[in-house]
Amino acid sequence: MKKTFKIGFVVLFLFICLIPSLGLAVTGISDELSESGEETVFPSLKNEGGDGWNVDFLSDLGDWFEQKFAFREDLVSAYGLVTGKLFGTSSQEQVIVGTDGWLYYTDTLSDYQGTDLMTERQLFDAAHTLAMIQTYAESNGIDFIFTIAPNKASLYDEHMPYYYSSFRSDENNLSHFLPWLESEGVNYVDLFAVFEEQDEVLYHARDSHWNNKGAALAADTLLTALGWEHASYENADYEIRKDYTGDLEEMIYPSAVTLEEEIYYDPEPQFTYVNEVESNYDRRIYTTSDAGGSLLMYRDSFGNALLPFMAESFGSACFTRDQPYQLNSDLASGEFTALIIESAERFIPNLASNAPSLAFGYVMDESADDLDYTTEIIDLVVAEAGAYTKITGTLKEGSYEVDSQIYIRISGDAYSLTFEAFPVSLGDGEEGFVLYADNVYLGILGGEEYSYEMGLS
């Protein structure tokens, strides 16, 4: 009897393990998009072109099976429910299971605990890059503001697990970044302070972003900072519907989501999409409304709920998730009256490493000519970039101060011009620069080849 029981248990265990594979025989093998949006193609035994065997076949097959096995979402959800409900832990590395059903994004944990801090030079890189963008915008008659969307854990950490909340730190990238924004004169709008003043929770419990009421508050704050006439939703009528699915909820319980409440204003923001839009997460969205002015807004996923309130306030608007910021092409039309850059708190380091595509123009300040242009440029690369020449390089270690600005003097046979380059953090402690020089300027230097020299302020 005992032997029969053991055999039956083993058979049952093997059958359960084979369910995903047996399910494939029913659902069939097809190439389709995975949950991440990437195409899951069954791997080939041969390399592309048929020139030899695919030595990574087994690894590729494992990756394919991980995305394609039958009942995947149900099994992921079941495992997530068991670990989350019974043990209070997360089955997904990207999700933190908090108390009372709250979920947090793991990528924000380093900000929450003050680990992996940016260096002072990296903080300068980010702040000075924003200051350069602001200078360019304002010199072309465009109003500019920059804002940071706070991480959910930064505002509402009362549901964070104790083994994380016990190590919360007030020393983080945001707290270190604010003094640099002030010293660089960046028009910064502090949404963190605005949200802290609110008595009600304005983020979703099972999503990483603010709700529609939080988005309306953020939009009102930004538009007020611009001095822009707009509709206020502070006392507007709204209804509450329990129909919202959080992004963190979908990660951890993909087939067992619990719908959350969302706020819907009546009437809703009035605007029209110009291009075909699948969702407000699309990379580039154009809108029109009956208002005046034109907005260019660089944003991330926090801009999804923010978009309708901003779109209603401008006659035309472009909302883009491009990284780096493609300012050369986006501002070429000269139509924009306002430029807003919104960044999630967890993306502050990206501001130091992603220099915008922007020809800042040559420097007319005579003090730039007095610099010592003997500083060595390491790994100098000069490449054509449409109507511009992109020049990049690395700074020699020890050659610069924390707040050194970078100037590149380009000389031809007849003339020389000096440009300020965007400072960038290259990773592994290295620092460099990116410069987009307008080929129209370079054309007046004379000759076909140029020399490049660097000076540091």
Side-chain angles (χ1 to χ4, degrees):
M1 183 69 180
K2 185 180 292 187
K3 184 176 181 180
T4 302
F5 175 78
K6 289 182 178 179
I7 293 174
F9 180 81
V10 171
V11 170
L12 178 62
F13 177 77
L14 291 175
F15 176 76
I16 293 174
C17 292
L18 287 172
I19 286 177
S21 298
L22 293 173
L24 279 176
V26 177
T27 60
I29 298 175
S30 63
D31 297 332
E32 58 184 30
L33 295 182
S34 68
E35 293 172 358
S36 65
E38 298 178 353
E39 189 177 3
T40 54
V41 180
F42 189 82
S44 172
L45 284 168
K46 291 290 192 76
N47 291 326
E48 290 186 19
D51 56 342
W53 297 101
N54 178 12
V55 296
D56 297 321
F57 174 77
L58 292 178
S59 176
D60 294 341
L61 182 63
D63 293 339
W64 176 88
F65 183 78
E66 183 179 339
Q67 291 296 328
K68 286 286 295 175
F69 67 78
F71 317 114
R72 180 182 188 277
E73 290 191 353
D74 301 286
L75 293 173
V76 169
S77 298
Y79 180 55
L81 289 169
V82 169
T83 57
K85 304 297 185 181
L86 290 183
F87 304 108
T89 59
S90 177
S91 62
Q92 296 288 328
E93 290 184 358
Q94 292 181 299
V95 182
I96 295 172
V97 174
T99 61
D100 298 330
W102 275 59
L103 302 174
Y104 297 89
Y105 196 28
T106 305
D107 280 4
T108 66
L109 190 58
S110 60
D111 291 318
Y112 183 71
Q113 296 185 327
T115 59
D116 196 23
L117 295 175
M118 298 167 66
T119 67
E120 289 298 301
R121 177 64 187 182
Q122 289 171 331
L123 292 166
F124 166 79
D125 291 344
H128 190 65
T129 291
L130 290 168
M132 292 174 67
I133 295 173
Q134 176 176 298
T135 296
Y136 181 89
E138 292 179 345
S139 66
N140 286 276
I142 303 171
D143 293 328
F144 173 86
I145 57 174
F146 167 70
T147 193
I148 293 173
N151 296 334
K152 184 167 80 171
S154 299
L155 288 170
Y156 312 108
D157 75 330
E158 57 269 29
H159 298 287
M160 282 285 281
Y162 70 91
Y163 45 83
Y164 290 138
S165 60
S166 300
F167 298 96
R168 179 171 187 177
S169 174
D170 293 330
E171 297 292 323
N172 51 44
N173 284 331
L174 178 58
S175 66
H176 291 181
F177 192 37
L178 296 181
W180 279 107
L181 290 173
E182 183 177 0
S183 66
E184 289 294 316
V186 176
N187 294 332
Y188 171 65
V189 178
D190 190 350
L191 291 179
F192 187 93
V194 171
F195 274 78
E196 270 199 324
E197 293 175 353
Q198 308 305 308
D199 294 330
E200 60 183 315
V201 174
L202 297 176
Y203 278 51
H204 291 288
R206 307 172 76 75
D207 189 275
S208 53
H209 306 94
W210 46 42
N211 60 23
N212 282 342
K213 194 169 187 179
L217 174 64
D220 181 66
T221 304
L222 296 176
L223 293 166
T224 300
L226 277 175
W228 199 256
E229 184 177 346
H230 63 283
S232 172
Y233 286 82
E234 182 177 1
N235 299 311
D237 294 332
Y238 62 84
E239 64 174 318
I240 300 176
R241 305 177 204 157
K242 197 170 185 177
D243 62 357
Y244 185 83
T245 301
D247 57 353
L248 303 177
E249 177 88 6
E250 287 186 306
M251 287 185 194
I252 197 167
Y253 313 125
S255 65
V257 296
T258 301
L259 296 178
E260 281 194 79
E261 292 182 346
E262 180 58 287
I263 288 171
Y264 295 91
Y265 288 98
D266 184 19
E268 61 186 7
Q270 301 298 300
F271 70 97
T272 302
Y273 291 107
V274 174
N275 57 320
E276 186 175 341
V277 175
E278 184 175 334
S279 76
N280 281 357
Y281 197 73
D282 287 5
R283 185 183 68 84
R284 185 170 285 260
I285 297 173
Y286 297 92
T287 63
T288 61
S289 78
D290 293 332
S294 184
L295 169 69
L296 171 62
M297 183 170 184
Y298 292 101
R299 50 85 176 207
D300 48 41
S301 55
F302 274 91
N304 293 0
L306 192 62
L307 186 149
F309 304 100
M310 303 301 294
E312 178 184 55
S313 303
F314 289 89
S316 63
C318 171
F319 301 90
T320 172
R321 294 174 51 243
D322 282 344
Q323 285 280 352
Y325 306 136
Q326 300 299 307
L327 288 159
N328 280 331
S329 56
D330 287 339
L331 295 180
S333 64
E335 65 182 59
F336 295 107
T337 53
L339 169 61
I340 298 176
I341 294 179
E342 173 271 316
S343 173
E345 181 184 347
R346 67 189 180 92
F347 290 142
I348 294 175
N350 292 355
L351 297 169
S353 57
N354 289 336
S357 172
L358 174 63
F360 189 62
Y362 65 90
V363 180
M364 300 181 66
D365 187 350
E366 293 182 359
S367 63
D369 294 329
D370 298 331
L371 298 177
D372 181 6
Y373 283 87
T374 60
T375 306
E376 181 182 0
I377 303 177
I378 303 172
D379 299 327
L380 176 68
V381 176
V382 180
E384 288 299 315
Y388 307 91
T389 296
K390 183 179 181 181
I391 305 158
T392 62
T394 303
L395 306 185
K396 184 178 180 180
E397 185 177 358
S399 66
Y400 55 90
E401 304 294 334
V402 167
D403 58 352
S404 291
Q405 296 173 220
I406 304 167
Y407 296 90
I408 304 299
R409 184 163 63 191
I410 307 176
S411 301
D413 292 341
Y415 301 100
S416 296
L417 285 176
T418 300
F419 301 84
E420 184 176 1
F422 287 98
V424 293
S425 170
L426 302 177
D428 297 326
E430 289 191 320
E431 291 287 325
F433 67 87
V434 173
L435 169 66
Y436 285 87
D438 193 321
N439 290 338
V440 173
Y441 289 144
L442 299 185
I444 68 174
L445 299 181
E448 297 182 358
E449 295 185 359
Y450 309 119
S451 63
Y452 303 89
E453 301 169 288
M454 179 169 62
L456 301 174
S457 66

